[in-house]
Amino acid sequence: MAECQGDGEGAKSPMELYEKLTAQGEQVRALKTAKATKADVDAAVQLLIKLKTDYKQMTGQDYKAGCPPSENSVAPDNGPAAGGADDEDTVDPWNVSTNNAKGVDYDKLILRFGSSKVDKELVDRIEKVSGQKPHRFLRRGIFFSHRDMHQVLDAYEKQKSFYLYTGRGPSSEAMHVGHLIPFIFTKWLQDVFDIPLVVQLTDDEKYLWKDLSLEDCHRFAVENAKDIIACGFDVNKTFIFSDLDYMGASPEFYRNVVKVQKHVTFNQVKGIFGFTDSDCIGKISFPAIQAAPSFSSSFPQIFKGRKDIQCLIPCAIDQDPYFRMTRDVAPRIGYPKPALLHSTFFPALQGAQTKMSASDANTSIFLTDTPKQIKNKVNKHAFSGGKDTVEEHRKYGGNPDVDVAFMYLTFFLEDDEQLEKIRQDYASGALLTGELKKLLIETLQPMIDQHQQRRKQVTEEEVKQFMTPRPLHFNF
Ligand code: TRP
């Protein structure tokens, strides 16, 4: 603990000072828990206050536990809202919750995370550069936040290619419709930009975090790969890997993991992810494994050893802490920072206060649900923004902003005009809740049915092909 006793003057960077502060906060807590003398506690608190003052001076911001200074140390770059105000939404890789029925306040999240808004200008630019109508997830603000997208497009316009990286934590065989969002969008990006895609299946992560055996996690990874393949990815352009397999098979990948491990301290991951002294060491080092696929040299078979190919990561916003860490490390180990496109969460049937959970069957529509199950779940469990009686509904209208059936339609109904008409009719009371739910059921049933048909056609041989390290059809 000796080094934690120093004061802020010795700290050269905001991150160093932040680490000192985090350690000092822990010291104060430890002293209090150990019922140390008042003089000792007071002295530690005084030092904590001094460090906080120094921090504010250096960064222009208040110190907040769990919120390390951002890469350029001006934007607030928060992770889990530890110690945050009570009215703040909780968004981290393990928890998503808010008190607001409309869901998480995403504009606030952009400010808190220090990312940028996907505004009309960016959507127009993607349209111009790709020559394609922007995907409905872009048109409707579902991919709402980004880091460095303009830089990726600038380079692409100068014939400099990039690659896509996304992933999935295989915690069970059952995937629900919410899990498809990043994959549906990634497939679109791959099609319009014609670029390679790597998909990380973090079976190691699920083993470390859940009460599951290694073999089950690996089996779930292969099963989930089938659902991912069923989204229509091209085997010549896509590499899907299980960490448990690829970590041991690729010296280059493991070298990058070790490089990241060397450049991130325990204090940093504690600050970013909220790890404590009693978390197993596997969890503490795992973020380095999720970071490694952001670097093209982790895949020499695809990029021919080049380490300068830019990476773009489409993911849900809760994964951002991993990539804030990655972007912080990248320049220090000689790699470009990955760019990001963040999506909102897919709400649970019960309402937008939280995201779907694979462990509670009634919060989600699963990719294995039958048409009848889909109908029953939507009718019974989808939170409604309608009024209690038909009479009242006709008179006052419903509220589409909190209505889960309407929210799901914004994700899956392709036709913008039809969606807008549904919104207006529901808000005016012309469309009843039962009718709105029927529209959703009729959208989901064929969509899930088609997915099931495609998944059935995915053979073991095909899965093996996707999951074998090999060159893809690109020249780097
Ligand atoms: N940690 C993610 C999960 O639990 C899986 C993941 C790994 C991922 N790499 C990723 C998700 C990259 C998005 C982008 O689901």
Side-chain angles (χ1 to χ4, degrees), residues 165-169 200 202 205-206 290 313-315 319 323:
Y165 157 40
T166 190
R168 146 120 191 111
Q200 178 178 47
T202 51
E205 176 192 15
K206 293 301 145 183
Q290 183 153 332
I313 307 171
C315 62
Q319 297 298 304
F323 302 117

Side-chain angles (χ1 to χ4, degrees), residues 17 86 99 124 145 203 249 259 275 292:
L17 190 49
D86 282 345
N99 293 323
D124 288 348
S145 151
D203 38 13
K259 280 189 191 173
F275 295 142

Side-chain angles (χ1 to χ4, degrees), residues 83-319:
D86 282 345
D87 65 341
E88 288 218 315
D89 301 332
T90 303
V91 176
D92 66 47
W94 305 281
N95 302 290
V96 175
S97 68
T98 171
N99 293 323
N100 188 339
K102 290 184 190 171
V104 172
D105 184 334
Y106 290 108
D107 282 333
K108 252 199 211 156
L109 214 54
I110 288 177
L111 284 177
R112 246 173 72 197
F113 281 11
S115 58
S116 309
K117 196 177 167 84
V118 172
D119 51 14
K120 180 153 185 326
E121 187 200 338
L122 178 60
V123 176
D124 288 348
R125 209 175 155 211
I126 292 176
E127 174 162 20
K128 193 175 139 248
V129 176
S130 69
Q132 302 287 327
K133 179 175 177 182
H135 193 272
R136 61 178 184 277
F137 292 169
L138 284 171
R139 303 198 301 269
R140 299 182 191 156
I142 288 169
F143 274 80
F144 72 105
S145 151
H146 77 99
R147 296 184 190 274
D148 284 348
M149 258 321 276
H150 283 290
Q151 187 195 308
V152 169
L153 296 172
D154 287 344
Y156 189 78
E157 280 181 322
K158 294 187 188 118
Q159 324 299 325
K160 253 184 89 184
S161 195
F162 60 100
Y163 74 101
L164 297 163
Y165 157 40
T166 190
R168 146 120 191 111
S171 48
S172 83
E173 247 168 271
M175 282 174 69
H176 56 61
V177 283
H179 291 137
L180 287 188
I181 305 302
F183 292 104
I184 293 173
F185 188 60
T186 302
K187 156 91 175 110
W188 181 81
L189 287 170
Q190 182 181 51
D191 285 350
V192 303
F193 290 107
D194 191 27
I195 43 176
L197 160 67
V198 297
V199 181
Q200 178 178 47
L201 300 171
T202 51
D203 38 13
D204 51 350
E205 176 192 15
K206 293 301 145 183
Y207 171 71
L208 289 165
W209 261 268
K210 307 242 163 185
D211 187 18
L212 294 166
S213 73
L214 266 175
E215 282 328 305
D216 277 345
C217 293
H218 185 260
R219 188 164 53 80
F220 297 153
V222 176
E223 285 307 308
N224 289 179
K226 294 178 189 165
D227 283 295
I228 294 168
I229 294 167
C231 291
F233 292 106
D234 182 342
V235 69
N236 295 317
K237 300 177 182 176
T238 308
F239 174 45
I240 304 177
F241 63 97
S242 123
D243 281 344
L244 292 174
D245 291 336
Y246 192 58
M247 274 279 276
S250 170
E252 293 80 4
F253 188 90
Y254 185 56
R255 276 166 168 72
N256 281 338
V257 170
V258 174
K259 280 189 191 173
V260 176
Q261 284 173 342
K262 180 163 171 165
H263 291 81
V264 183
T265 66
F266 184 29
N267 261 328
Q268 278 170 297
V269 289
K270 270 201 255 190
I272 302 171
F273 301 97
F275 295 142
T276 69
D277 288 1
S278 43
D279 277 307
C280 71
I281 60 173
K283 285 188 187 177
I284 292 155
S285 59
F286 173 75
I289 301 174
Q290 183 153 332
S294 318
F295 309 128
S296 61
S297 60
S298 294
F299 307 97
Q301 67 280 9
I302 301 173
F303 302 107
K304 315 286 173 335
R306 280 185 61 177
K307 57 176 199 173
D308 61 337
I309 313 288
Q310 165 98 58
C311 173
L312 169 62
I313 307 171
C315 62
I317 186 80
D318 61 336
Q319 297 298 304

